[in-house]
Amino acid sequence: MTTTERVKPRMPDEVGVPDPFSYMHPVMKKNYGNWDWHDRPRPGVLHHVSKSGDEIWTVRAGTQRQMDVFTIRKLCDIGDEYADGHVRFTTRSNIEFMVADEAKVAPLVEALTGAGFPVGGTGASVTMISHTQGWLHCDIPGTDASGVVKGLMDLLHEEFIQEKMPNRVRITTSCCQINCGGQGDIAVNVQYTKPPKINHDLVANVCERPAVVARCPVAAIRPAMVNGKPSLEIDEKKCVCCGACYPPCPPMQINSDESTKIAIWVGGKHSNARSKPTFHKLAVANLPNNAPHWPEVVEVVKTIVQAYKKDAKHWERMGEWIERIGWNRFFEMTGLAFTKHHIDTWTGARKTMNTSAHVHF
Amino acid sequence: MKDSDAKQTVDGKDVHPTPQLDQLEDGPWPSFVTGLKKLRDEGSDNNRKIMNDLLGQLNHSYEKRLGFWKGGTVSVFGYGGGIIPRFSEVADRFPESREFHTLRVMPPAGNHYDTDILRKFCDIWEEHGSGLIAFHGQSGDIMFQGCSTENTQKAFDALNKIGFDLGGAGPALRTAMSCVGHARCEQSCYDEVRAHRTIINKLLDEMHRPALPYKFKFKFSGCANDCVNAVHRADFAVIGTWRDEIKINQEKVKEHVAEKGRKYTIDTVVNMCPTRAISLNDDDTLEIDNPSCVRCMHCINVMTKALSPGDDRGVSIMIGGKRSLKIGDLMGIMVVPFMKLESDEDFEKLEEFAENVVEFFADNALEHERVGETIDRIGLPAFLDALDIDVDPNMVNHPRTSSYVRTDDFDTEAAKWFERKAREAGLQIGAD
């Protein structure tokens, strides 16, 4: 092929963030910034009223997030037949169908439910779990978030389709300690329990050693010659098993079938409603990474959700409930152990200690 | 159809048994495994081929309890980021999913779609990818998952032609998120779509050609309910708020009390106000001590018909939120307690401030350091000084408790404060 014949690469059109108005439901577009109030006629359905008098109903349904084209087309068919052809996704991968006519709500709910998409996730429900990529796609996963989520949502399905919790429950799962799934009322996260195992034959070729040394939060990694090859070594007494060295240096394998465990955290929230936003706190660690059903994890989540549902006051989030009853009673009610590992040892740890005579008995 | 039913794919390949994954097809929640299998059995030529081996590899992961992907470098013409490369470490056994890259694509602000555009996505991904799309990833992108290196450019070109662009990956400006906001929510305090598109589209070069010390994320929430989780996960969180009084429709308050009861109203509205700013009058109307209100949104959330944010609306900006790596999770710090966000000039001011913060980050952060960590390292006063931001009591929970500080210019600083207060009160001050 001569130069003149060579296919010229297509220059990208750097459009950036697309304008949403061409996709938005016309009633939403017309009333943009002019809404007046809302209510929830039934679980899974929102009703918004504009100052112009226009109304819109939103039907929210759960999805598996990782969707095949058949599932997406099925949702589109439902959107075309029963709704007005406009949808949006929530930050927790629920799909929302908007309709301008109340009469369309019931058939839409029925169509979605009939096609296997649970309608719910609004108000004081357990909504869809925000989660990470796991074994399906991540390069450093300790578990498969999609599988854990499937197991948990099967269990919590009833709480998704009704609004019977004290307040909304946001659950997250993360496949490594970086916690891409985020803070949650309940967070199900991988917890490494052993320092990385180093494949010294590969380190020199694969890893930028100074960058890996710099990545360690506790200065436990240092350069070393091992078997005559430049490599890295770990002071295992210092290592906190965070896994931060593994992404930039895959020969420092942090995962194993046995030592990769799961921890459950509680009481995180990003809303400022009532109390300030909080981080989640450790409830239990060292649960087995027991694919494909993770029964031990599911059991603990069930116990925590039930204790919260039974005991919290209306509008109290998980963390606010625990704050009121005290951690003492939280561990008592859930039957979980309080260990020395629950006492913080990290930067700023002192802020998490009780410096008052306030004690719950 | 369970694996035990079919031994060969329609293309005559042996179906990988997936006994672990098969167990995730039961139960009431939609199953991603069923979707993957449908692609394997009924998908396009391309989808079927990839999905048989992908399912094999995933089942292998479930058995070994380990992941088998490694990263690499894949990009499209003109861009340095936006593709997440994935190469299989077990490609000898599962060759057709050897390359399983993800295209991160920016959604329309607020995640609005119509069925027509979703169908176009499906057609493109059926032709060039695996047929698997996630709405959305945790950073806000549409995740077109599973593409060969060869098809990456073709898939991007097709998506780009219908008006979509790659998002961020690596040490770069990342894809942003905004809540539904103005489009449907009466609690929204600013035009999220405009703020989101103004900032990201202005800084697009930082997204497409990664050159920052590390990632930088913007998120836009219309009110303090913070539905896109900005405070926890954005380096630059824009959160809607208002300065004047909460709007009360007393007739609707009375209706709420009549419907829900006095005790319930006192328990859930009055007693849950974090600053004890609300009382219920004897005639079942509400009295709100607005100067004590912290705009937490709770009472408005409970009484959606009776209460709403005030009219003098704008945003708070919080800087430095991030996930665990490597000093532990950080929340954003209140840096701008209030910025009006209505006029063209207001938006220009926001855009300029965003550019300045990103520039500060580019100039001052160490490699692999998020801006919240930079602020921890140099101290908030140094950050404020660099960006020429006036201090404000709303930035702290309380003033310092340690006496170890040099205060010999305290009087000069105090004079600045009084001068500013006078200016804000509209008083004329000397020309010099």
Side-chain angles (χ1 to χ4, degrees), chain A residues 335-354:
Chain A
L336 298 169
F338 184 80
T339 70
K340 72 173 187 182
H341 297 300
H342 289 86
I343 296 175
D344 209 340
T345 51
W346 196 241
T347 313
R350 216 170 184 289
K351 280 187 295 195
T352 68
M353 308 302 161
N354 182 8

Side-chain angles (χ1 to χ4, degrees), chain B residues 18-57:
Chain B
T18 53
Q20 289 273 314
L21 300 179
D22 295 350
Q23 299 177 51
L24 291 172
E25 288 195 87
D26 302 328
W29 197 257
S31 170
F32 68 105
V33 173
T34 304
L36 299 185
K37 286 189 180 177
K38 194 153 184 188
L39 289 169
R40 176 196 65 194
D41 298 334
E42 299 167 41
S44 67
D45 293 353
N46 202 34
N47 295 171
R48 291 197 307 271
K49 227 167 45 176
I50 297 174
M51 273 306 159
N52 185 35
D53 278 357
L54 189 274
L55 278 159
Q57 172 166 338

Side-chain angles (χ1 to χ4, degrees), chain A residues 73-131:
Chain A
R73 287 188 183 124
K74 194 193 287 173
L75 289 165
C76 288
D77 290 344
I78 292 171
D80 289 338
E81 189 176 348
Y82 297 95
D84 302 341
H86 296 268
V87 302
R88 66 178 294 277
F89 289 90
T90 70
T91 50
R92 308 184 86 78
S93 300
N94 295 314
I95 189 167
E96 293 182 336
F97 295 83
M98 275 66 62
V99 292
D101 175 5
E102 190 178 5
K104 288 183 173 175
V105 171
L108 174 58
V109 169
E110 203 175 315
L112 283 165
T113 311
F117 301 103
V119 170
T122 52
S125 65
V126 179
T127 187
M128 171 58 169
I129 297 169
S130 76
H131 70 96

